[in-house]
Amino acid sequence: MLQRVNPGHKALADYRSIIRRELYEELQELAGRLRGVRVLHVNATSFGGGVAEILYTLVPLARDAGLEVEWAIMFGAEPFFNVTKRFHNALQGADYELTIEDRAIYEEYNRRTARALAESGEEWDIVFIHDPQPALVREFSGGLGEGTRWIWRCHIDTSTPNRQVLDYLWPYIVDYDAQVYTMREYTPPGVELPGLTLIPPAIDPLSPKNMALSRDDAGYIVSQFGVDTERPFLLQVSRFDPWKDPLGVIDVYRMVREEVPEVQLVLVGSMAHDDPEGWDYWYKTVNYAGGDPDIFLFSNLTNVGAIEVNAFQSLADVVIQKSIREGFGLVVSEALWKARPVVASRVGGIPMQITSGGGILIDTIPEAAAACAKLLSDPDFAREMGRRGKEHVRANFLTPRLLRDELRLFAKLLG
Ligand code: UDP
């Protein structure tokens, strides 16, 4: 039996005043057509990272729309996560030699997951598989029922993949009825994509992480972590991972400090269960910070949960996202939704989120530092930037739009 996640309850009606009327009406219409459709989401973890974050909102909202939606976690253990981490990095371009042992471990957990699904006897209209970890579940389960439609959702950038991993996985992925990518630029070169569908992710404006917090409440929370709320602080919220470049963020902070000596830096990073490298990188970052009392490192293990992330994001003077590679980068929309000025790398889905003056795109550490210093010295400029960013997110990156896109896809696949 696969572990099921209970994502709680949410009501679409609560979003009505936040989104456009046409979107709300289209959702009602799609919900009417898809009532009772049975959907199973499968991914690798219920905690940490963007995929879990999205499912915690999408699953209850789709249920509220009348679909019968479940979310299951595939089987996994450290050896498997070590392999899938290597796959993940390889698909994002890292060097890696695909070994028979790694394939065997990968297939074993996919096979066990597929067997559990098939043996449960449950029937699904849609099985929605997230990312490479469970990508072989379709193959090993024999596709389940006749009428089951299979969707593979890729949350990462596979535009310059390690060929060995791609050539190994792709024959299985092509068999899905739809391959969903955030943007066309992330798809691998030279492969067949018979069911390519482009759907960017989104954030939940009403979740504890993104709901409106007063400045006083946010300040009260932030000050309890020892950050001086009378002085400015830069923030990056990200897993401790080389692709997120926390060391680069420290370099940016050090350059900004030369111009703004009172500045502080807060790095918040959750430690995901499927990310064994996280700890190495955490210690590397702690060492790099070198005991600077104005650099704060927090994680879910130091009690920084959703509300605390919200408080840090709501109060930060500048939010940085210095990623080297990025899937979509949900944290960028999270910060923009709080009307914060964001300085972020021109990679992955970030440029899609930072357009028309709502944030600053950078390519280098000195550029990032200059952008931060400018924002710290010009509050009017920073305020206007935050306002524009928020409106861009409202129009494009809130969960009701994501739900609409997925319901459209279900309706198309089910005919
Ligand atoms: N996150 C969090 N606590 C942390 C670090 C990250 O809750 O300490 C959340 C963050 O707010 C965001 C998600 O994890 O919602 C990360 O998603 P993103 O797309 O930015 O990056 P990913 O980790 O999926 O590469």
Side-chain angles (χ1 to χ4, degrees), residues 247-262:
L247 308 188
V249 179
I250 293 178
D251 290 337
V252 171
Y253 152 82
R254 288 188 172 136
M255 289 181 81
V256 175
R257 196 178 49 179
E258 285 171 21
E259 287 185 45
V260 187
E262 69 275 22

Side-chain angles (χ1 to χ4, degrees), residues 26 30 34 403-413:
E26 186 179 354
L30 283 161
L34 294 167
L403 178 66
R404 189 259 335 256
D405 289 354
E406 296 199 353
L407 295 185
R408 277 183 183 170
L409 175 61
F410 297 170
K412 183 175 144 206
L413 292 178

Side-chain angles (χ1 to χ4, degrees), residues 47-54 88 92 131 155-156 201 203 209-210 236-241 243-244 267-272 298-301 304-306 309-310 313 321 323 325-334 338 353:
F47 183 78
V51 180
E53 191 71 24
I54 288 168
H88 180 103
Q92 294 200 128
D131 274 341
H155 294 270
I156 59 177
I203 61 160
K209 177 159 313 158
N210 297 313
Q236 176 162 294
V237 177
S238 278
R239 287 178 292 108
F240 284 94
D241 178 314
W243 300 109
K244 307 288 187 185
L267 293 169
V268 175
S270 69
M271 311 303 282
F298 302 122
S299 80
N300 49 309
L301 303 176
V304 177
V309 169
N310 186 343
Q313 288 174 330
Q321 192 56 40
S323 307
R325 266 296 178 79
E326 192 52 82
F328 178 69
L330 283 172
V331 277
V332 171
S333 276
E334 288 168 7
K338 288 151 193 133
Q353 300 174 71

Side-chain angles (χ1 to χ4, degrees), residues 25-81:
E25 285 169 359
E26 186 179 354
L27 280 167
Q28 301 299 110
E29 188 265 324
L30 283 161
R33 276 160 65 192
L34 294 167
R35 183 158 298 281
V37 162
R38 296 156 304 179
V39 182
L40 177 68
H41 288 271
V42 181
N43 82 321
T45 174
S46 61
F47 183 78
V51 180
E53 191 71 24
I54 288 168
L55 290 176
Y56 271 111
T57 296
L58 207 55
V59 171
L61 280 183
R63 283 182 182 169
D64 186 61
L67 287 79
E68 288 179 22
V69 190
E70 292 290 333
W71 171 12
I73 303 299
M74 74 179 300
F75 289 120
E78 204 181 329
F80 174 72
F81 294 136

